[in-house]
Structure formats: structure tokens, C-alpha cells
Amino acid sequence: MNNGYLDVMKWLYEHCGVNFFSSKALDNAISNNQLDIVKWIYQTFGKQYFEYRRITTDDYDMIVFLHETCEIPVTDLYVKYIVVNGNNLESVKYVLEKSTGDCGFDLQNCKNSQIVDYICEKYPSSCEVEWYRPHWAGDYLRIKYPNGITTT
């Protein structure tokens, strides 16, 4: 199932009664951004299999489907995760819009300068950010918090 052979899965299910559903298979399809498989599982086996699922990807289409169709909530923990680990600004904007509260941000470990810029623009009281580049290394992020503490 990890390889996404949806047509083969459908055929085996319809003609041989082979049931491919398992929690691990669903989690793998979500994590690997296999939206076609996730949609098929939802349509074939129902919403009840999505009740205790978490969003574990930064793929915009997958996030929208899981949140709006499967009704998986955008938790504060997930917002913190995607802000630090995500690479998709559109996904970050979506989860911030759909989040349930103010979760705070750990931009010190954020890997994407566009996400940092967006967070600081949208939540200016959270931090002041500046990028600097030592002559011997890649980009570093320096964050100035409102209390005057600076981290690098």
C-alpha cells in the first residue's frame, strides 16, 4: 500500500474481497501524501476510521481533505509542528486560519524563511527576526523576543 497502487487495490477489493484497510495503511497513506488512497479508504470504509487520526503532513490538499471532509481537527500541537517543520507556506496559512487557539511559535527552529516572515508579519508581537549569514556557513536565524532576549 505504501507505493500507492490504487487501481490494483480497488480491483483486488472488488473482485477478490481483499481488504486493504488497516490503521497503519491509513497512517502511511496520509504521511506519504497519497491523497487518492486516503479518499478511497474514506469512501469505501467510512468516516469512522478517521475519528482518531492526526494530520501528519504539510501537503495542502491532504490537510484540506482531512480537516474539511474527514473532520480531523487542526490542533495547536500540529500548528506548532507545521510551523517549525513545514515547507509549504500555503499549508501553514491554512492551519493557522483553522487552528483552535493561540499556540505560540518556536521560530528558532523553523526551517523555512518564508514561514518565519509570514508568522512575524501576521503576529508581529511574537518576535523580531533577522537573518544573518556568517562567511563560513549557511543561513542562521536570530530572533529577538519582546522581553529583549535574543537567540541564534
Side-chain angles (χ1 to χ4, degrees):
M1 180 137 164
N2 286 344
N3 294 328
Y5 299 113
L6 182 58
D7 291 335
V8 174
M9 291 170 46
K10 285 180 178 180
W11 191 90
L12 288 171
Y13 178 74
E14 292 168 6
H15 294 90
C16 303
V18 177
N19 184 344
F20 286 96
F21 179 78
S22 73
S23 291
K24 183 169 176 51
L26 178 56
D27 290 339
N28 285 341
I30 291 170
S31 295
N32 293 320
N33 300 322
Q34 296 171 319
L35 185 57
D36 56 341
I37 292 175
V38 173
K39 286 181 176 180
W40 180 74
I41 290 172
Y42 181 81
Q43 293 163 351
T44 305
F45 299 104
K47 180 180 171 181
Q48 69 272 14
Y49 293 105
F50 289 80
E51 287 181 0
Y52 299 103
R53 288 285 156 300
R54 294 176 299 132
I55 301 173
T56 56
T57 178
D58 75 339
D59 180 76
Y60 179 80
D61 294 329
M62 181 71 77
I63 293 168
V64 171
F65 178 78
L66 293 173
H67 180 67
E68 294 181 6
T69 303
C70 305
E71 300 177 8
I72 297 176
V74 175
T75 63
D76 290 348
L77 184 62
Y78 177 67
V79 172
K80 289 178 183 181
Y81 170 82
I82 194 172
V83 164
V84 172
N85 297 299
N87 286 312
N88 187 332
L89 181 58
E90 186 178 15
S91 295
V92 170
K93 289 177 180 181
Y94 179 83
V95 299
L96 287 170
E97 178 185 313
K98 302 298 181 182
S99 67
T100 56
D102 180 18
C103 64
F105 305 105
D106 178 18
L107 297 179
Q108 177 175 320
N109 296 313
C110 185
K111 298 170 177 66
N112 186 310
S113 62
Q114 288 181 323
I115 292 172
V116 172
D117 290 344
Y118 177 78
I119 296 294
C120 290
E121 181 180 312
K122 186 159 177 77
Y123 305 96
S125 63
S126 297
C127 65
E128 295 176 24
V129 176
E130 62 184 69
W131 289 93
Y132 69 97
R133 181 186 297 264
H135 68 282
W136 50 269
D139 288 338
Y140 282 84
L141 175 64
R142 179 182 296 155
I143 301 173
K144 297 177 184 174
Y145 292 94
N147 61 7
I149 297 173
T150 300
T151 62
T152 54

